[in-house]
Amino acid sequence: MATIRNFGVLAQLRSEASHHVIHYRRGRVKRSGRGLVFWFRPETASIAELPMDDREMTLFVKGRSKDFQTVAVQGTVGWHVVDPELLASRVDFSIGLVGGKPQKEPIERIEARIAGVANQAVLQELAGEPVRVLLDAGPEPMRRRLEAVLAADPALAEIGIAVVSVRLKGLAPTSELERALQTPTFEALQQKADEAVFERRALAVEKERAIAENELATRTELARREKLLIAEEAENARNRAMGAAEAREVETATDANRIRALEGAKIAAERDHVAVYRDLPPPILFALAAREFAGKLDTIEHLNVTPDLLATLLGGLGKAPVAGIEAR
């Protein structure tokens, strides 16, 4: 912004390089340029100061799509002054000669004109397509269209300004429409999530079934092996019983043979013993029998020998039979 210092009937203006100053005297351009420093007489001068740097304005347009859905477009538009003298002739950029402040609001007027052109272009673009097509395409097609419209618009060129950039942040539907548009996608995502859960549960069931089958197969195999083990144990028990029975039979046969051998030896000994006594005379046999009988008696208190017995014994010497012996 220019600085003005007053010294009585004279004043000095000092401007910055980013501003274009036009000094009018009696309706004609006296000086025009950037960063000017000059003296002037306030009573005969009129001064305009125009910004020459790039400016940005906010753009917000709300319109309806082809299918009557409300869509909001938000962004920024950059512009700058191309012909300062032409712009100063169309828009009032005059400043006060005491403090150097703008007398009007020229920037607002310029931005209002740009906004009018941009709003019309955006509304036409929104009305040409359904909301789904607009949202799917995004802001880039509309940005290119708006940039072309602003660059070619004669209403801006005739006042000496030009649009240098257009940036759109996005296209936003209303909250109700956004929820409605999100519903199919949300439902599809929910369906995929449900399918994933179902597949995960099915996989878990399949794994549980495989585990159960594995456990059943393991139990079946264990039962089969237990059955084989029982059969083997029974077979071993039968073999042991048969072995024990055969051993007992062998032992019994051995005992029987031993008993038969002993009995046969006893019989043979008795036979030999009888054969020894067979040829002895009766008196000797009688004497041996008496000795054997006497050996089995503990004591003999009385011995009665009858005449008959004595006769018999004596007669026995002559091979007479023995009558009897009485012992008491």
Side-chain angles (χ1 to χ4, degrees):
M1 187 176 64
T3 302
I4 298 177
R5 299 173 65 186
N6 292 278
F7 299 93
V9 295
L10 295 177
Q12 184 187 46
L13 181 143
R14 184 180 298 275
S15 65
E16 298 177 356
S18 61
H19 287 72
H20 189 100
V21 175
I22 303 175
H23 178 206
Y24 295 93
R25 184 180 179 182
R26 294 177 183 178
R28 295 181 179 180
V29 177
K30 179 69 175 180
R31 296 179 183 86
S32 178
R34 293 187 180 189
L36 297 180
V37 178
F38 60 89
W39 293 86
F40 64 95
R41 294 178 65 181
E43 68 273 10
T44 61
S46 176
I47 299 176
E49 183 184 31
L50 293 81
M52 299 302 293
D53 56 344
D54 290 346
R55 297 297 179 100
E56 281 194 351
M57 58 169 287
T58 301
L59 179 68
F60 182 80
V61 184
K62 182 179 288 187
R64 287 189 176 183
S65 62
K66 188 176 182 179
D67 50 357
F68 305 102
Q69 300 299 324
T70 302
V71 181
V73 179
Q74 187 175 359
T76 58
V77 177
W79 62 274
H80 66 183
V81 178
V82 178
D83 190 342
E85 294 185 6
L86 177 60
L87 180 59
S89 66
R90 301 295 300 273
V91 180
D92 188 2
F93 276 89
S94 62
I95 61 175
L97 300 181
V98 176
K101 294 182 179 180
Q103 300 297 306
K104 304 292 183 178
E105 295 180 348
I107 302 299
E108 286 75 5
R109 290 184 59 186
I110 294 174
E111 291 183 350
R113 178 170 291 196
I114 295 174
V117 176
N119 289 352
Q120 184 178 0
V122 169
L123 292 176
Q124 290 178 355
E125 192 73 15
L126 291 177
E129 299 290 346
V131 65
R132 173 62 72 179
V133 175
L134 293 172
L135 295 178
D136 290 342
E140 185 57 25
M142 183 172 293
R143 186 199 67 79
R144 292 195 298 266
R145 173 62 177 167
L146 181 58
E147 189 175 41
V149 170
L150 291 175
D153 189 77
L156 302 180
E158 69 184 8
I159 64 175
I161 65 172
V163 173
V164 295
S165 66
V166 176
R167 290 191 295 271
L168 298 182
K169 296 181 180 179
L171 283 70
T174 61
S175 57
E176 295 80 5
L177 176 60
E178 186 175 7
R179 285 194 296 269
L181 293 174
Q182 290 175 350
T183 299
T185 303
F186 177 78
E187 293 294 335
L189 294 175
Q190 187 65 38
Q191 184 177 0
K192 290 183 178 179
D194 294 340
E195 291 176 357
V197 172
F198 176 77
E199 291 178 358
R200 186 166 59 252
R201 290 180 177 176
L203 181 61
V205 171
E206 181 65 21
K207 289 184 178 179
E208 291 179 357
R209 185 186 64 80
I211 292 173
E213 290 181 353
N214 189 21
E215 291 179 351
L216 180 60
T218 302
R219 289 197 299 268
T220 303
E221 180 64 19
L222 291 176
R224 186 184 67 81
R225 293 184 179 182
E226 185 178 3
K227 182 178 179 180
L228 293 176
L229 179 61
I230 293 173
E232 291 291 335
E233 290 179 349
E235 184 66 22
N236 292 336
R238 284 193 296 270
N239 292 335
R240 287 194 296 269
M242 292 176 63
E246 292 177 357
R248 285 195 299 271
E249 290 179 359
V250 171
E251 184 179 358
T252 302
T254 303
D255 292 341
N257 293 332
R258 187 172 57 253
I259 292 172
R260 283 196 295 270
L262 290 176
E263 291 296 328
K266 289 181 179 180
I267 294 172
E270 188 66 25
R271 186 182 301 113
D272 294 339
H273 185 69
V274 172
V276 170
Y277 288 101
R278 183 187 305 145
D279 298 331
L280 292 177
I284 293 175
L285 292 175
F286 181 79
L288 291 174
R291 187 182 66 180
E292 183 70 21
F293 177 74
K296 294 182 178 181
L297 297 177
D298 292 335
T299 58
I300 299 176
E301 296 180 355
H302 299 284
L303 182 60
N304 295 324
V305 182
T306 61
D308 295 332
L309 179 58
L310 185 58
T312 303
L313 291 173
L314 294 176
L317 296 175
K319 297 182 181 179
V322 179
I325 298 175
E326 180 181 358
R328 186 176 52 183

